[in-house]
């Protein structure tokens, strides 16, 4: 984090798998496809969570989700804390076109930014050759979007949503072809992600990829300790902000506080 960003071999999923392995090796359990509906609190202290109707008792809960959800899940939050959350503005969202290509792009740099067109190209297979067959490439084309584009990609009419999703994906390919000529002719696999895709997979409010606005004059994110005893925050909603490195640091901060900041050698 200090000396520059790195790409995990095997993709970001490999990093998640590593964290999961450490949890299991330390005696923990991981439950997937379980949505926490409520955080249980008694007399200002956390007592556990309810997930899909099942109660899990705990004296400490680390809330690693978008803090905008918190007031609807916890009773007894102070009004000033709720107002602080309500004042937080969601960050930009994004659209990504994912491509699998029968084209060797190894002569290109792994990251290309075209500020004039407002796009970025990430050739993941140039960082990790296991992500594409020999002679082929995997490419992601990304553009950041303002929050009102969440409404443009409304899912009220599924047919309109899919039509706009496909159209926007094609537009990004067209822009990318100005950097990599003939790109479209080599597409083998194509997928795309809209603001609603990010909301679906991360539960981030309106698909905000950085959780909250990170401008210099933006309201500060809430502290990692909440007014509820035993309830901690981690992730992009709290200090130091968004991004894999930053949210990892937020988890370390919460863990160290829970463990009384003991130092291990």
């Amino acid at each position: 984090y200090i000396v520059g960003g790195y790409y995990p071999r095997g993709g970001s999923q490999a990093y998640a798998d590593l964290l999961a392995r450490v949890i299991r090796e330390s005696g923990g359990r991981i439950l997937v496809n379980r949505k926490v509906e409520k955080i249980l609190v008694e007399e200002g202290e956390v007592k556990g969570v309810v997930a899909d109707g099942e109660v899990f008792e705990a004296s400490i809960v680390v809330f690693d989700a978008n803090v905008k959800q918190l007031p609807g899940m916890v009773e007894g939050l102070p009004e000033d804390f709720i107002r602080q959350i309500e004042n937080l503005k969601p960050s930009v969202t994004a659209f990504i076109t994912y491509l699998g290509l029968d084209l060797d792009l190894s002569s290109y740099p792994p990251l290309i930014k075209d500020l004039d067109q407002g796009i970025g190209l990430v050739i993941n297979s140039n960082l990790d050759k296991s992500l594409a067959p020999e002679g082929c490439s995997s490419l992601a084309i990304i553009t950041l979007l303002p929050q009102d584009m969440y409404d443009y990609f409304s899912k009220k009419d599924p047919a309109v949503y899919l039509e706009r999703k496909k159209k926007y994906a094609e537009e990004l390919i067209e822009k990318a072809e100005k950097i990599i000529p003939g790109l479209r002719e080599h597409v083998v696999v194509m997928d795309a992600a809209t603001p609603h895709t990010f909301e679906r997979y991360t539960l981030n409010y309106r698909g905000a990829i950085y959780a909250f606005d990170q401008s210099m004059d933006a309201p500060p994110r809430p502290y990692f300790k909440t007014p509820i005893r035993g309830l901690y925050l981690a992730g992009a909603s709290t200090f130091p902000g968004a991004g894999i490195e930053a949210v990892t640091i937020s988890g370390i901060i919460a863990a160290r506080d829970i463990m009384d900041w003991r130092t291990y050698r």
Side-chain angles (χ1 to χ4, degrees):
Y1 180 71
I2 302 301
V3 298
Y6 287 82
Y7 188 88
R9 185 178 289 110
S12 55
Q13 183 62 48
Y15 182 60
D17 291 342
L18 172 63
L19 296 178
R21 191 184 80 194
V22 172
I23 291 171
R24 292 189 177 107
E25 289 176 351
S26 301
R29 281 195 306 154
I30 298 173
L31 305 179
V32 296
N33 296 323
R34 297 284 190 97
K35 187 175 181 179
V36 175
E37 301 146 349
K38 188 175 182 179
I39 298 173
L40 303 174
V41 176
E42 292 181 10
E43 298 181 355
E45 293 187 14
V46 71
K47 296 298 181 180
V49 301
V50 179
D52 290 345
E54 187 175 358
V55 175
F56 296 87
E57 295 182 354
S59 58
I60 292 173
V61 171
V62 180
F63 184 83
D64 181 19
N66 192 299
V67 76
K68 284 277 190 185
Q69 302 168 24
L70 203 55
M73 300 172 66
V74 182
E75 295 180 0
L77 286 174
E79 287 298 322
D80 59 343
F81 186 71
I82 294 175
R83 282 195 299 272
Q84 180 187 0
I85 292 173
E86 290 174 343
N87 288 334
L88 293 168
K89 297 179 180 179
S91 75
V92 295
T93 182
F95 190 102
I96 303 179
T97 300
Y98 301 97
L99 299 176
L101 306 165
D102 59 357
L103 179 66
D104 187 349
L105 298 180
S106 58
S107 61
Y108 288 87
L111 176 62
I112 303 170
K113 291 186 178 181
D114 187 330
L115 300 181
D116 292 330
Q117 296 194 94
I119 63 171
L121 275 62
V122 182
I123 308 173
N124 308 86
S125 52
N126 283 358
L127 296 166
D128 183 354
K129 294 187 183 300
S130 70
L131 300 180
E134 187 175 351
C136 299
S137 305
S138 61
L139 169 66
I141 313 165
I142 182 171
T143 185
L144 300 181
L145 298 176
Q147 266 295 315
D148 56 9
M149 290 298 284
Y150 177 88
D151 299 315
Y152 172 79
F153 288 106
S154 171
K155 300 185 77 173
K156 291 181 180 178
D157 187 329
V160 172
Y161 171 75
L162 292 175
E163 179 185 345
R164 290 181 174 180
K165 181 178 180 179
K166 182 178 179 181
K167 182 175 179 290
Y168 214 89
E170 295 283 354
E171 288 177 3
L172 288 193
I173 293 175
E174 185 177 336
K175 290 181 178 181
E177 281 198 300
K178 295 178 181 179
I179 302 167
I180 305 174
L183 181 66
R184 189 184 305 273
E185 300 170 6
H186 296 276
V187 175
V188 178
V189 179
M190 174 178 168
D191 203 352
T194 72
H196 288 269
T197 312
F198 298 118
E199 183 180 52
R200 174 188 172 192
Y201 283 100
T202 69
L203 296 183
N204 262 315
Y205 178 70
R206 291 178 65 88
I209 61 172
Y210 303 130
F212 301 122
D213 181 16
Q214 298 192 127
S215 304
M216 291 294 290
D217 58 349
R221 286 167 162 76
Y223 194 49
F224 68 94
K225 281 185 174 180
T226 73
I228 304 297
R229 186 172 181 180
L231 178 59
Y232 286 80
L233 300 179
S237 288
T238 187
F239 176 84
I244 290 176
E245 301 95 339
V247 300
T248 299
I249 291 170
S250 79
I252 293 171
I253 292 171
R256 289 290 175 86
D257 194 80
I258 292 167
M259 298 167 67
D260 295 326
W261 296 90
R262 289 176 289 176
T263 300
Y264 294 88
R265 298 185 184 275

